Amino acid sequence: MQGLYITSVFLHIVAAVVWLGGMFFLILVVVPWLRAGKRAEAGAFLRDTGVRFRWVGWACLLTLLATGSLNLWLRRVRPSSFTDPEWLATPFGRTIVLKLLLFALVLGISVAHDFHVGPAATAAMRKDPGGPGAIRLRRMASWMGRVNTVLALALVFLGVVLVRGWP
């Protein structure tokens, strides 16, 4: 069981690194580079890059869900734990619940960003790149990405807390 747990934790960390690394690459490298160039070409490049990264991101999120669930199971956390007042009163239990709630929020924002706001922003930018609808949707998509990045960092922090305890 120890080998399975170590493998699962390793895959969990790799998925988190790839997911976060991709988001930071887009935020810190691609977007600033595109802002310095031509808007029309930049929008197409960002759209294509986002679509390609979407599949990587969702593969990472699914891997995080699967390995996170396995990690909890191997640490003897069962569905009944979530209704046990004693377990929920522990720092570990509260941290698990908080981490799961944040992860659910990340999934919700990701679905809205990737399958609703992002495609609507792309369509609006094709139709009228400087129009108010395109600008509003582009800003909304950008903020959703930023919020998800901050939440992802909070999830990493909580992962450290689960192993090392609260500071």
Side-chain angles (χ1 to χ4, degrees):
M1 286 297 205
Q2 182 69 9
L4 178 60
Y5 179 68
I6 296 296
T7 302
S8 182
V9 169
F10 173 77
L11 293 174
H12 196 78
I13 291 170
V14 168
V17 166
V18 170
W19 180 52
L20 263 171
M23 286 194 297
F24 276 110
F25 180 75
L26 286 171
I27 292 168
L28 299 173
V29 177
V30 174
V31 171
W33 175 73
L34 292 175
R35 285 185 178 153
K38 297 178 182 175
R39 277 269 187 225
E41 293 170 11
F45 181 79
L46 186 57
R47 180 191 66 242
D48 293 346
T49 303
V51 168
R52 288 176 189 251
F53 180 68
R54 179 184 305 156
W55 298 109
V56 172
W58 279 101
C60 289
L61 288 173
L62 292 175
T63 300
L64 289 166
L65 180 63
T67 57
S69 298
L70 180 60
N71 294 345
L72 289 176
W73 184 263
L74 292 170
R75 290 189 72 172
R76 294 179 175 69
V77 176
R78 302 295 184 259
S80 61
S81 301
F82 295 96
T83 58
D84 177 1
E86 279 186 43
W87 184 81
L88 289 170
T90 66
F92 182 80
R94 287 192 307 268
T95 303
I96 292 290
V97 169
L98 180 57
K99 191 171 184 201
L100 291 174
L101 289 172
L102 288 182
F103 187 73
L105 184 58
V106 164
L107 288 177
I109 291 171
S110 295
V111 166
H113 177 276
D114 292 356
F115 302 109
H116 300 291
V117 176
T122 298
M125 286 188 63
R126 281 186 184 145
K127 189 175 182 181
D128 184 14
I135 291 169
R136 181 182 58 78
L137 287 166
R138 192 176 74 236
R139 283 185 183 148
M140 185 184 303
S142 177
W143 274 106
M144 292 171 97
R146 289 176 185 144
V147 168
N148 252 3
T149 302
V150 170
L151 291 174
L153 289 172
L155 287 167
V156 170
F157 174 79
L158 291 174
V160 172
V161 166
L162 287 173
V163 176
R164 297 292 182 197
W166 283 94

